[in-house]
Amino acid sequence: AFEPAPGVFENMAERLSGRPKLALHPYALGGADATVEMSLDGPGSSGKSSVGAAAAREVGYRFCDTGLLYRAVTWLAEARGVSVDDPEGLVGLVDDVQLASDADGRLAGVLVDGVDHTADVRAPAVDSAVSAVSAVPEVRSALLQRQRDLARSGGIVMAGRDIGTVVLPDADLKVYLDASVTERARRRADERRSDASGDGVSGMVRRARCRRWHAGRRRQLDRRGARRRRGAGPGRKQLDRVGPVGGGA
């Protein structure tokens, strides 16, 4: 569980609850008025999944962690021997990946050819490779459309990176969650039951900084069409999270 700053979660729920709640059933999106979109941005382990899932549950919307899509393509590329230097081959994997909804309406499962590979996409090997795959422009373009398709019917809280600036620039509510590199590494170590005060955290800090470099590269690629900033852009609320947060995204 997490303890948001006073009034933060209540405000998010209040903003979202102005529209009808949705049936919590896979892809059951309710009536035509259920069109609210909420974007939740921030670096890995800043609390996006915990906050986003809780907000979605409160108002009866779907929740989508878009990082699962990149993880799924990364894992599938490794499983099928597709190199990161083969953009066409990577894009060819996108349609083979499906997100599955759980009983709470969260798009939290990964299916490939009808087989559940959710645990596989969380493996450390995927952690090490996902940044490189995510930096491939063709992959980002293909998954950009997939993300927009998921959100098209509304009634969704979508978490990830560049959601409010690139994926859903017209989202009804935009939130940016942040935390220090050390804090995020500590959370990730805790998730994996590593030593939260020793080499487990130190190694994760180094990897987090490496991922930050790759994230900067991805931002440069996304700015080629138009100049956008990944931080707390216009109309977006920025929140700094410190301390225990359930979930890692």
Side-chain angles (χ1 to χ4, degrees):
F2 65 90
E3 294 294 337
V8 169
F9 178 73
E10 290 81 357
N11 178 261
M12 292 165 62
E14 180 181 354
R15 291 282 299 276
L16 286 173
S17 62
R19 301 295 183 93
K21 291 191 176 183
L22 306 178
L24 291 184
H25 184 276
Y27 309 107
L29 302 182
D33 290 335
T35 58
V36 168
E37 296 174 352
M38 173 184 171
S39 69
L40 192 53
D41 286 276
S45 295
S46 61
K48 299 187 300 294
S49 290
S50 297
V51 172
R57 184 168 55 249
E58 180 72 14
V59 295
Y61 287 175
R62 295 172 300 153
F63 172 70
C64 179
D65 174 3
T66 61
L68 275 179
L69 290 169
Y70 287 98
R71 285 179 165 275
V73 171
T74 300
W75 172 81
L76 191 55
E78 177 67 22
R80 295 184 179 176
V82 178
S83 169
V84 71
D85 297 320
D86 179 8
E88 184 176 349
L90 292 173
V91 170
L93 303 175
V94 170
D95 287 341
D96 292 338
V97 172
Q98 300 296 325
L99 296 186
S101 183
D102 64 15
D104 289 328
R106 300 183 309 164
L107 296 168
V110 174
L111 301 179
V112 176
D113 296 329
V115 178
D116 186 351
H117 288 285
T118 306
D120 294 325
V121 306
R122 298 289 188 185
V126 175
D127 288 349
S128 301
V130 67
S131 290
V133 173
S134 299
V136 177
E138 292 85 352
V139 172
R140 294 182 65 75
S141 178
L143 288 180
L144 171 62
Q145 189 56 51
R146 171 69 71 85
Q147 292 167 78
R148 287 177 173 169
D149 289 343
L150 287 170
R152 180 174 295 128
S153 298
I156 192 168
V157 177
M158 183 167 281
R161 301 188 189 185
D162 302 317
I163 303 300
T165 54
V166 177
V167 181
L168 302 176
D170 298 321
D172 300 277
L173 176 62
K174 299 181 181 182
V175 175
Y176 187 89
L177 291 179
D178 203 358
S180 70
V181 171
T182 301
E183 178 63 27
R184 291 187 284 115
R186 184 177 294 110
R187 292 173 188 169
R188 196 175 292 274
D190 184 61
E191 291 164 22
R192 295 179 184 159
R193 299 181 181 178
S194 300
D195 179 1
S197 61
D199 292 339
V201 169
S202 297
M204 289 181 183
V205 167
R206 290 192 296 271
R207 289 190 290 274
R209 287 172 175 157
C210 181
R211 287 193 295 270
R212 175 176 288 180
W213 183 91
H214 282 289
R217 172 60 177 159
R218 291 197 299 270
R219 290 197 299 274
Q220 289 179 339
L221 294 172
D222 286 332
R223 288 191 189 108
R224 286 179 178 176
R227 296 189 62 84
R228 297 183 177 95
R229 186 170 68 89
R230 181 181 147 223
R236 191 188 300 194
K237 304 295 184 182
Q238 178 158 345
L239 306 174
D240 290 329
R241 294 291 304 125
V242 178
V245 174

